[in-house]
Amino acid sequence: MSEATLAAPWWKRGVIYQIYPRSFADSNGDGIGDLAGIAARLDHVATLGVDAIWLSPIFPSPMADFGYDVADYTGVEPMFGDLAAFDRLLAAVHARGLRLLLDFVPNHSSTQHPWFVESRSSRDNPRRDWYIWRDPAPGGGPPNNWISDMGGPAWELDPVTGQYYLHTFLKEQADLNWRNPAVAQVMTDVMRFWLDRGVDGFRIDVLWHIVKAEGLPDNPANPDWREGLAEKLRVLQHHSTDQPEAHAFTRQFRQLADSYGDTALVGEIFLPRDRLMRWYGTEAEPGVHLPFNFELIENQWDRDTLAALIAGYDAAIPVHGWPNWVIGSHDAARIAARIGERQARVAAMLLLTLRGTPTLYQGDEIGIGTVDIPPHRIRDPQDLRQPGMGLGRDRSRTPMAWDASSNAGFSTVEPWLPLHPDWRTRNVAAQEEDPASMLRLYRRLLAARRAIPALSLGRMTLREAAPDILAYERQHGDERLLVVLNLGSEPREVTLPDATRPGRIIVATGTRDMFDGTIDADEAYVVELLA
């Protein structure tokens, strides 16, 4: 790695790899992934060439929403292991020169968390105000019109105390009251607990939800809602999300993280671009290091759309901010399912050559595509509550395929979710042996990012190009590279920028090693530019 690359913080120069623990590797034969399984497969992550691992929640949980209903913020769910197993995993991660981020879930806890059990026990319990309780509306019913992101009212009546509690998601996930200083303090202490243990930062779940408007007024109706859209979209979440007071807490998170050195905070924030940028904070009072950018997931896959969103997003980044990109996650459809395998290779090239920090999602490096989940195997509560709407997340949480042995080497028993249909040929072991595989492409791209500062830290300039061709230059010092991506199904000619001439192809989705001014359909190249 060059001196210029090493001088930058790791979260700027590096790449994050998301692991969904239930689906990575099962060490004890119960069909569910665990921490020991992750530790056993760490060499795959290290040789891939990423810099950090983000683990989806591993905390004790009744699993109503598969770990996002936390019952103990400073423990480990027994199905995954225990704190000793976590410490062993963390040590193994660090021994390989990697970092580890945990999923921090500050908006809500499980209703089985001891805090909520106390809170609901009586109206005068000292922890009553740790959650958001309200009397029924005049005449009865929920206190306001807020809708759960899982569908249905965002309020649940507690018959014992006669009040409703707020739940942005499932009724088993009660929203914490961040306007209570005791809540802010105890949750900050949770972050400190894990930082003291040696973690390198956090991905913060639904960060923009944590504070609600004073008085909890009704949200305005969404005039664009229609049948077939998710129920939560019936209203515009003006009062239930993105409140200005939340930024003060974000600044406190950042101050705490920065006090531990070279750490990183990634914020999950689904907001329009102008509001997303506020979560960077200011230069004097910064917010999260990386407010997640989901624009590659949320928009159409064509040259004009991508060129416009890349230019607009890059221009919107504040001076003290740093971009980031993602094409897959545990909530989104697989990229290969969305755009096909040939374009998924192009998407890998795009993700790993844009200016900013990329986040990879497990399984995308072997091109897992569409996985049909039979009705009797559906586990996702969102899909079960609003069936037939395409909201299911099981499709992106299916197990990793390691080899062609029984159950794809994931487990000795049938996994908790079905494997992708072509797992016998689409697995890590098979792609290790194939120089043209998706896995080998990801490794080449990641190796190039580490070796060439222009790809990890360089400036980016979009270039005019033929129809269907997305082209941009990356430059750092004397290094100049041209990235050319064909998002269409026809070969195209490419005009090089300025008075430059082409050198070798650094990385290609196909087999070319020299650039001749053309690009094949569904192809992408990183080309060295010579003066």
Side-chain angles (χ1 to χ4, degrees), residues 145-147 149 208-209 217-225 229-243 271-272 275:
N145 73 341
W146 293 2
I147 297 173
D149 278 18
W208 83 111
H209 274 274
D218 280 355
N219 277 322
N222 180 359
D224 297 323
W225 187 86
L229 294 179
E231 190 176 359
K232 71 176 183 179
L233 300 177
R234 282 181 178 271
V235 296
L236 302 173
Q237 296 181 332
H238 288 179
H239 302 302
S240 52
T241 67
D242 197 26
Q243 299 304 300
L271 288 172
R275 291 160 64 192

Side-chain angles (χ1 to χ4, degrees), residues 135-177:
D135 290 327
N144 65 24
N145 73 341
W146 293 2
I147 297 173
S148 160
D149 278 18
M150 296 290 193
W155 296 92
E156 182 71 10
L157 180 65
D158 175 51
V160 174
T161 60
Q163 285 189 315
Y164 285 84
Y165 66 85
L166 180 68
H167 59 90
T168 295
F169 297 92
L170 296 173
K171 64 182 178 63
E172 294 85 0
Q173 296 166 283
D175 280 33
L176 287 155
N177 178 16

Side-chain angles (χ1 to χ4, degrees), residues 37-349:
I38 296 170
R41 296 291 186 177
L42 271 183
D43 286 343
H44 166 74
V45 182
T47 57
L48 191 59
V50 300
D51 300 86
I53 293 168
W54 148 33
L55 295 182
S56 291
I58 59 169
F59 314 109
S61 168
M63 296 290 162
D65 192 21
F66 296 105
Y68 286 95
D69 48 322
V70 178
D72 177 2
Y73 285 96
T74 56
V76 171
E77 166 57 40
M79 74 170 63
F80 296 141
D82 54 23
L83 280 171
F86 174 80
D87 289 340
R88 288 192 294 271
L89 173 61
L90 182 61
V93 168
H94 286 163
R96 287 164 174 80
L98 300 170
R99 291 173 169 83
L100 190 145
L101 310 182
L102 285 183
D103 220 320
F104 177 50
V105 187
N107 180 69
H108 49 266
S109 79
S110 167
T111 52
Q112 294 186 33
H113 195 295
W115 301 340
F116 187 78
V117 173
E118 289 187 42
S119 182
R120 80 186 311 173
S121 65
S122 69
R123 290 196 181 199
D124 59 1
N125 185 275
R127 286 200 168 110
R128 183 67 168 185
D129 193 46
W130 282 35
Y131 294 85
I132 300 173
W133 293 92
R134 293 295 183 273
D135 290 327
N144 65 24
N145 73 341
W146 293 2
I147 297 173
S148 160
D149 278 18
M150 296 290 193
W155 296 92
E156 182 71 10
L157 180 65
D158 175 51
V160 174
T161 60
Q163 285 189 315
Y164 285 84
Y165 66 85
L166 180 68
H167 59 90
T168 295
F169 297 92
L170 296 173
K171 64 182 178 63
E172 294 85 0
Q173 296 166 283
D175 280 33
L176 287 155
N177 178 16
W178 276 80
R179 293 186 181 276
N180 184 327
V183 170
Q185 182 61 57
V186 74
M187 294 301 281
T188 304
D189 288 345
V190 166
M191 298 179 77
R192 186 176 287 107
F193 171 88
W194 291 107
L195 289 165
D196 285 344
R197 213 165 190 97
V199 304
D200 302 287
F202 301 91
R203 176 267 192 184
I204 307 175
D205 184 60
V206 296
L207 177 58
W208 83 111
H209 274 274
I210 64 171
V211 178
K212 282 70 177 175
E214 285 277 19
L216 310 181
D218 280 355
N219 277 322
N222 180 359
D224 297 323
W225 187 86
R226 64 184 187 281
E227 291 293 339
L229 294 179
E231 190 176 359
K232 71 176 183 179
L233 300 177
R234 282 181 178 271
V235 296
L236 302 173
Q237 296 181 332
H238 288 179
H239 302 302
S240 52
T241 67
D242 197 26
Q243 299 304 300
E245 296 92 334
H247 294 281
F249 296 118
T250 305
R251 290 194 294 273
Q252 293 172 21
F253 298 160
R254 176 65 179 265
Q255 290 167 5
L256 176 62
D258 285 350
S259 73
Y260 281 80
D262 205 7
T263 56
L265 300 179
V266 180
E268 184 196 21
I269 303 158
F270 280 97
L271 288 172
R273 186 186 293 154
D274 60 332
R275 291 160 64 192
L276 176 70
M277 294 301 152
R278 300 173 193 167
W279 292 86
Y280 282 105
T282 65
E283 193 164 8
E285 296 184 309
V288 291
H289 299 81
L290 302 172
F292 249 148
N293 167 25
F294 296 101
E295 293 193 34
L296 294 179
I297 291 177
E298 296 171 330
N299 286 279
Q300 294 296 314
W301 193 261
D302 62 73
R303 193 279 302 273
D304 291 346
T305 299
L306 294 181
L309 76 83
I310 290 167
Y313 173 79
D314 199 59
I317 299 290
V319 173
H320 65 282
W322 183 249
N324 69 93
W325 302 92
V326 57
I327 59 172
S329 80
H330 63 295
D331 289 333
R334 289 277 185 188
I335 185 66
R338 285 177 54 215
I339 62 176
E341 180 167 357
R342 289 177 65 85
Q343 278 294 313
R345 297 171 73 87
V346 177
M349 185 79 84

Side-chain angles (χ1 to χ4, degrees), residues 340-383:
E341 180 167 357
R342 289 177 65 85
Q343 278 294 313
R345 297 171 73 87
V346 177
M349 185 79 84
L350 177 69
L351 177 69
L352 295 175
T353 60
L354 285 170
R355 188 178 83 97
T357 302
T359 297
L360 308 183
Y361 180 56
Q362 68 174 54
D364 283 351
E365 75 268 30
I366 59 172
I368 295 176
T370 301
V371 186
D372 293 322
I373 311 295
H376 70 282
R377 297 291 303 274
I378 293 173
R379 303 292 299 276
D380 180 13
Q382 183 162 268
D383 201 7

